[in-house]
Amino acid sequence: MRLFIEHFIEWIIKGCGYISAFIVLLIVFFLFREGISFLNSSPLEEHYGLYVNIQNPITKLSDNQVKDIFDQKIVNWNQIGGHDDLIKRISVNELDDHFTKEQLGSNFEYLSVCVNRYIDTVPGAIAFFSERQLAISPNTKEITLEKISLGKFLTGLEWFPTAQPAAIMGTLPLLLGTLLVSFFAILFALPLGLAASIYLAEIADERVRKILKPIIELLSGIPSVVYGFFGLVVIVPFLQKVFNLPVGETALAGSILLAIMALPTIITVSEDAIRTCPRAMKEASLALGASHWQTIRKVILPYASSGITAAAILGIGRAIGETMAVLMVTGNAAVIPKSLIQPVRTIPATIAAELGEAPFGGLHFKALFALACILFIITLITNLLVERMSANRRTS
Amino acid sequence: MLEFPVNINRKKKIHQTVMFWIARLISYIIIATLFLILFFIVKRGIGVINWEFFSTMPKEGMTEGGIFPAIVGTFYLVIGSMIVAFPIGVLSGIYVNEYAKDGNLKKFIKMMTNNLAGIPSIVFGLFGMSLFVNQLNFGASIIAGSLTLALLALPLIIRTTEESLKSVDQTFRLASYALGASKLYTIRKVVLPIAFPNIITGLILAIGRVSGETAPILFTAAAYFLPKLPHSMFDQCMALPYHLYVISTSGTDIESSRPIAYGTAVVLIAIVLFVNLLANFLRNYFGRKVKMK
């Protein structure tokens, strides 16, 4: 009996051993299930359609063309290769412009008839309706939209996930925003962190080090939302004043904040790397008459370089995934960033800000999961790089 | 530490002194920045902190009143996540250090643990929403939030457990085996008690981490404004970090809710400070007792 219980407990322990691998796989499954079903779907919301007169030669439109049509940038069908007919848009929101209340009926029971008749008689008409509202007549045909492809998703220049009738989901502005903010964060944090780790590992007394290190580690324990709040009440107004900006919520504010947040990671990891430099190497350098600083520069830093690179990559990974602080200070404008003192929107901030409003299971919802897939892949790559580097260091 | 010669030539010496001072200065600037952040928030927030702030519900669209439900909610979330993450994490750590044989499988598990630790918290949030809230139909609730936070804390607990087990001297195990104890008995009676303080330190650090996370609970647990306490674990709750986010960004009257925001930030910082001090204290206190090599 006793043996049986022991075996049972050992089985549980062994089962628990696989838990992290299992969770990573679960995460992959749940993220990519939604994210992949997003690709190859139509940019129209489900059950909605665009309908035109059967005489209209256009059968296919891209999401941008649809947007331009409904924004009245394209006003004639011949602009996109159709007949010379003025485009007449008609959708639920503009019913009043075309029909009277009597025509539609008190409960919109004649809506289908009215819209079908409108499309029949007006050759340039394009109607945006739900399949439920509209029974399609033989003189009406549905327009197909170009499907969302991976390439378009990754390289699209505009992010209008809630645009009607067709959503436009190009992630390039978000991706560039994320990279810009993280890149500058590391640019600020790396030299500072390196200097601090050199000081802690080589220059400072053991006593000073014992005090300073926990204090720096404390930096990483402070919740990111507190950093965000600090950024909001101090850094943002400060930048606004210094650069004389209309809004202080900029990429720069995000970079500064992320730099502060990435510092402890960078300092701890690169300090560890610096401290692993073997004593024999330092002694050899000393014997050649090198000063302490020369030893640090020519011997210790090259020796620790892979560890320091790992620290930088780890810092970048953290910065790319950071959500709350960035969400609070970068202004969240989904535009291609042109300068640092301009609002940007990052991928995590987009997910955090928009998921609450995206209808469950809808196109927008799935698009945000696809964004999370991108984020997951980026951080997975950075993690594997760090892993590879520390493995190299152990073997060399 | 190695003693480097002091009598080096003047040029070298000046160069070295300058570089060392730059490094020293930068370190002090980083420390100063930390204190600046803490000081700035604490100075403005300490004034609103009193018993009433801790014990009353938010009022008037969160421009008045206290943060009681947010404190309770954070407490529930932390307890819930630790009930799940602690046993599983410790068992997993035991597996990796005591049972797994060196080889590709162990490498793979360690790699996955590291990957799990590197996944952004917002991705955990999406995953939690997709699995717990929707697939398992918990709805946005304390249990969904706790489970999501538990996943986030798991790698931290696994790693600290592993590290603390690794630091247990092999001779203890061998002595136990020599007395005829089984492997599990040795782990239970010899290895775990010695490693226990460090494991607890890891648990405390995980508590600190979990209590400050916002992104994972955004869609799995946190309520925007809920001036009552949750009745069951299938209710939504307020949480301190999300509360701070809400009142500092999306209130209708930001100016008058600012003091509460500062107060909430001070409470969050206090939690982190307390957790760190406690972890340090435990490490030192038990560290002295266990050293018997």
Side-chain angles (χ1 to χ4, degrees), chain B residues 214-267:
Chain B
T214 319
I217 57 170
L218 274 179
F219 318 113
T220 55
Y224 183 77
F225 177 53
L226 196 74
K228 61 179 171 49
L229 296 182
H231 292 298
S232 79
M233 60 184 189
F234 291 102
D235 283 348
Q236 278 191 306
C237 63
M238 289 180 78
L240 283 171
Y242 185 62
H243 186 62
L244 175 58
Y245 168 66
V246 167
I247 49 178
S248 58
T249 55
S250 48
T252 43
D253 187 0
I254 285 199
E255 277 320 305
S256 55
S257 59
R258 266 289 132 85
I260 298 179
Y262 280 110
T264 311
V266 171
V267 174

Side-chain angles (χ1 to χ4, degrees), chain B residues 73-127:
Chain B
T74 297
F75 180 75
Y76 284 157
L77 288 172
V78 167
I79 295 293
S81 59
M82 286 306 134
I83 287 176
V84 179
F86 188 59
I88 298 180
V90 170
L91 289 182
S92 179
I94 291 175
Y95 173 76
V96 175
N97 200 59
E98 304 290 326
Y99 284 93
K101 300 195 174 59
D102 282 327
N104 284 334
L105 186 66
K106 188 174 175 180
K107 258 191 214 156
F108 175 73
I109 289 176
K110 280 191 149 186
M111 192 180 85
M112 282 306 199
T113 311
N114 284 344
N115 279 336
L116 196 63
I119 292 175
S121 54
I122 186 78
V123 174
F124 278 104
L126 277 196
F127 171 67

